[in-house]
Amino acid sequence: MPRPNTRDRIVDAADLLFYQTGFEHTSFAEIAAVVGVSRGNFYHHFKTKDEILTAVIDLRLNKTRAMLRDWQAEGQGPAERIGCFIQILITNQSKIVLHGCPVGTLVSELAKLDHAAHDHANALFTLFRDWLREQFVQLGRKEDADVLAMRLLAQSQGVASLASAFRDAEFIKAEVHQMRAWVQSLTPAA
Amino acid sequence: MPRPNTRDRIVDAADLLFYQTGFEHTSFAEIAAVVGVSRGNFYHHFKTKDEILTAVIDLRLNKTRAMLRDWQAEGQGPAERIGCFIQILITNQSKIVLHGCPVGTLVSELAKLDHAAHDHANALFTLFRDWLREQFVQLGRKEDADVLAMRLLAQSQGVASLASAFRDAEFIKAEVHQMRAWVQSLTPAA
DNA sequence: GCAAAAATAGGTCAAGCGTCCTAAATGAAG
DNA sequence: CTTCATTTAGGACGCTTGACCTATTTTTGC
């Protein structure tokens, strides 16, 4: 097995560059330069730019699934698990201020390009949506679990969007506090 | 007689194309083709692409200022005026599902490109933010008016983002209903 | 150890881009 | 009518892009 997995390094670099500067604005040459491989080597692993995009989305899907699985395995209640989701905004606040939400900005860009991979990328949103819905169900909100899941998802998107626009990390902290209080208000007293 | 102003027609076309397909993805040739002018004529009015962007942002700023002024002049209370803002999501729902929020997606794209015009575009957000803050002040929430303004702005951004991602106009309607109820809950009984 | 396969390097290509130029058509002013 | 600035047309440039090809090196399987 090839120790220095060039393909993975390319996907990792593309993942980061797509996040930082956007899919369309990132060129083959830039990715290749970051990884330190020639364009020919690059082409050996990925015939088209769309193939790289597919690989990047798959990587993000796998990482997200693993993360959700970890949260599930920590032996806490649904409210605490929803708290893990909200916590992402804090953990990644500096990146979010600079480049927005990785999922939201990618899906938005692909929507504008009318790109075939839009649905594939949106599966990232669906992953969170379904997982959050399940948590709200376990919280005893079976009736409106999906509505609540979408609302929390929308809130986090809005917070990331404005935090980036105004380059304001404090805004994230304040809204996260409010989101936590909101979840608390939905949690039946134990 | 005022001739059909070519410059204005160019800006109008660029405004629409930037919204529908993004700033970077829109080329000189596309705009020129839509307007029906030659690239030379185009260049006579705008030396660089950034000049067009500046003109488009200025156009949007003026349109937004006029809209806010109209809302102010309708002789209603602050709660009704905030309702006008929320109503945009309904009025433009089909466009939002297809292309997202015109302000949010532009600011987000310029942030990713690290474009100098980012702050200029973000003035659109500031316009709404300041106006909303004033409405909340008049609603008797002087202390947290800016927090509430940002929260409502973030909500509308999140709703637009997810509505576009899931291509779901019904989601907009549902969340608008919730947002109206929220404003109502902040309004002191008359 | 050696042949097959995979990986890497670097050159090449057509297309599209923003930009720039010159020249012709138009229209207002004297 | 003439003059001259404005507007329009369209060609040309230099550059970047994604895509593709061939040659060489490295790794793998038997």
Side-chain angles (χ1 to χ4, degrees), chain B residues 114-183:
Chain B
D114 206 17
H115 196 288
H118 174 270
D119 289 349
H120 190 198
N122 199 45
L124 284 160
F125 268 143
T126 305
L127 231 48
F128 283 110
R129 177 182 185 169
D130 293 348
W131 185 87
L132 283 171
R133 184 177 53 216
E134 175 60 24
Q135 309 312 312
F136 282 114
V137 167
Q138 291 183 22
L139 214 58
R141 302 292 295 239
K142 192 183 175 196
E143 302 304 318
D144 55 354
D146 189 58
V147 169
L148 296 176
M150 282 291 278
R151 187 161 300 156
L152 185 55
L153 215 47
Q155 271 193 272
S156 62
Q157 282 302 300
V159 167
S161 173
L162 286 198
S164 168
F166 289 100
R167 305 194 198 280
D168 184 351
E170 289 305 312
F171 173 65
I172 299 181
K173 288 181 189 164
E175 289 306 295
V176 159
H177 186 266
Q178 191 269 342
M179 286 159 76
R180 290 195 189 285
W182 177 72
V183 173

Side-chain angles (χ1 to χ4, degrees), chain B residues 83-130:
Chain B
C84 290
F85 170 79
I86 297 174
Q87 181 65 22
I88 310 181
L89 286 166
I90 299 293
T91 307
N92 299 330
Q93 58 179 307
S94 56
K95 293 176 196 167
I96 289 172
V97 165
L98 286 175
H99 313 111
C101 166
V103 181
T105 52
L106 178 64
V107 171
S108 165
E109 182 181 359
L110 295 181
K112 268 203 203 256
L113 299 180
D114 206 17
H115 196 288
H118 174 270
D119 289 349
H120 190 198
N122 199 45
L124 284 160
F125 268 143
T126 305
L127 231 48
F128 283 110
R129 177 182 185 169
D130 293 348

